[in-house]
Amino acid sequence: MPAASSANATTAADRPRRPAGGPPPAVRWYLVLYNVLSAIAWLAVAVAAATYLPAHDHLYLRAGRAIAIVQSFAVLEIIHSALGLVRSPVLTTAMQVFSRLFLVWGVCAAFPFKTVVGHWAYTSMVLAWGVTEVVRYSFYCANLIAWQGPPYAALVWC
């Protein structure tokens, strides 16, 4: 009897994470809003990092807490993945998010004056994250709304 029931049972790997046509409309618009707000937040971070690039010793003092908060919202990406709202693997997403949270909260917030204030590496890390995340969230948003206009072509140039 157990053999028959196990033959009919499907595993989590067999079930699709979301419908082939993409997420339902409410989920799609939530994800669009999330990606737009994330792109705007990271654009502000990138602009702050670029503004303080010549005098990198002021970035953490002026924007360190805001940068940590923007980075912390990435925890929602783990939730999105766990709920099946996006196709990203949960473990990979969690590793990426938690590695950044460790840098922001475990290193920078814990040792601001010994490691962060005035160090060029903090500014370059934040600038790299900012540029990367603006492109990534813009790309995700464009895919969700099926945008094919000129800005989209710049996001998929390679």
Side-chain angles (χ1 to χ4, degrees), residues 28-51:
R28 177 184 307 271
W29 289 112
Y30 162 75
L31 290 172
V32 167
L33 179 64
Y34 172 79
N35 286 306
V36 166
L37 293 176
S38 296
I40 291 169
W42 278 108
L43 180 62
V45 166
V47 167
T51 301

Side-chain angles (χ1 to χ4, degrees), residues 2 11 14 17 21 25 37 41 65 67 87 103 108 118 126-127 129 131 133-134 137 143-144 148 153 155 157:
T11 64
D14 296 332
R17 292 190 64 148
L37 293 176
R65 182 65 57 167
I67 292 165
R87 292 180 291 183
L103 288 174
C108 297
V126 170
L127 184 61
W129 283 353
V131 170
E133 298 300 354
V134 168
Y137 287 119
N143 279 333
L144 284 165
Q148 297 294 320
L155 294 171
W157 63 274

Side-chain angles (χ1 to χ4, degrees), residues 41-68:
W42 278 108
L43 180 62
V45 166
V47 167
T51 301
Y52 290 109
L53 195 56
H56 52 77
D57 55 338
H58 298 292
L59 178 63
Y60 184 79
L61 296 174
R62 306 264 179 166
R65 182 65 57 167
I67 292 165

Side-chain angles (χ1 to χ4, degrees), residues 101-137:
L101 290 177
F102 174 73
L103 288 174
V104 168
W105 292 108
V107 176
C108 297
F111 307 105
F113 296 105
K114 293 182 179 183
T115 58
V116 178
V117 175
H119 203 282
W120 61 268
Y122 179 76
T123 305
S124 64
M125 174 183 75
V126 170
L127 184 61
W129 283 353
V131 170
T132 301
E133 298 300 354
V134 168
V135 171
R136 184 169 74 97
Y137 287 119

Side-chain angles (χ1 to χ4, degrees), residues 43-98:
L43 180 62
V45 166
V47 167
T51 301
Y52 290 109
L53 195 56
H56 52 77
D57 55 338
H58 298 292
L59 178 63
Y60 184 79
L61 296 174
R62 306 264 179 166
R65 182 65 57 167
I67 292 165
I69 290 169
V70 169
Q71 184 60 62
S72 296
F73 276 107
V75 170
L76 290 172
E77 294 185 24
I78 300 169
I79 296 168
H80 297 160
S81 181
L83 293 175
L85 302 181
V86 297
R87 292 180 291 183
S88 303
V90 177
L91 183 60
T92 305
T93 304
M95 287 175 22
Q96 178 188 8
V97 169
F98 286 128

